[in-house]
Amino acid sequence: MGVSTRRPGTAPATGTGAGFRRAGTTAPRGPAGPGPNRGGRPRRPGAPDPARPHDWFAERLVQVLSGRNPVHTLIGHVRQEAFEQLVRLADSAPLRDGGAQSAVRRVGFCRPAAGVLEVFARVGSADRLRALAFRLEHRRGRWWCSAVELGPGPRRRARVPGGG
C-alpha cells in the first residue's frame, strides 16, 4: 500500500504515477543543478554563496565602506592583513556620499590560480563611480578576503582663472 503525499483539501494530481503536478501549477523556478540549498548541506545564514562569493563580498564591503555596517561584521570572512586594510579604509567611510547610498553596479573577476579570485567592482552613488578591488582565497572549505583596495576618490579640477 502506498502513502499519499496529497495534502488535505487539494485536488488529486493529474495523470498516473509520481512526477506529475496538479493541473495549473508550474515547475519551481530558480537555478538548476547542485549548489547551496539544493540537496546539499544548507548554507549558514550570512555565509557567502559558494557559487558567487565575489558578489557577496562586494556587497558586504560596500556596506562597510559606506558606513552602513561596522567592520567587525566581516571578522569571520577576512584575513588579518585585509582586516587591517579594511579598518583603515572604513575609518573615513569613503563610500558615504551625502544622501545617496553607494551600491555595487558591476562585479567582475579573474582566476589567477586555483582557489583564487581577483575581483573588481564598480561602486556608484548618485553620479559618481568608484573602483573597488579585492582578492578572495578558498581555504579550508570557505572563501576568505585577503586584500582590499579602493580606487582614489573623485578628483577636483583645478580652477582656471578666466581671462577677460
Side-chain angles (χ1 to χ4, degrees):
M1 175 180 212
V3 178
S4 173
T5 57
R6 188 169 63 93
R7 289 179 285 163
T10 61
T14 58
T16 59
F20 285 94
R21 290 185 294 279
R22 288 189 324 217
T25 62
T26 59
R29 296 187 184 263
N37 300 327
R38 279 174 265 169
R41 217 169 90 209
R43 195 164 36 108
R44 293 181 325 271
D49 178 351
R52 302 193 58 80
H54 50 287
D55 290 333
W56 186 90
F57 274 97
E59 289 291 338
R60 296 317 179 280
L61 289 170
V62 168
Q63 290 173 2
V64 167
L65 295 173
S66 64
R68 286 182 284 185
N69 282 348
V71 180
H72 73 267
T73 58
L74 290 174
I75 282 179
H77 304 285
V78 180
R79 297 228 178 264
Q80 184 64 36
E81 304 82 29
F83 189 76
E84 291 168 7
Q85 288 175 307
L86 194 54
V87 167
R88 282 191 299 274
L89 283 171
D91 278 342
S92 63
L95 295 179
R96 183 177 291 153
D97 190 20
Q101 285 195 357
S102 295
V104 176
R105 300 262 175 100
R106 184 161 185 194
V107 177
F109 65 91
C110 68
R111 288 193 173 124
V116 176
L117 296 177
E118 291 192 348
V119 184
F120 53 91
R122 292 183 190 139
V123 179
S125 63
D127 59 344
R128 293 183 183 180
L129 277 178
R130 299 277 305 264
L132 174 65
F134 54 97
R135 182 180 176 100
L136 298 177
E137 297 175 357
H138 195 261
R139 304 231 189 261
R140 295 186 302 254
R142 65 188 301 180
W143 287 99
W144 294 87
C145 181
S146 60
V148 179
E149 290 185 21
L150 185 64
R155 290 183 229 170
R156 305 231 184 251
R157 288 185 173 188
R159 296 191 88 178
V160 177

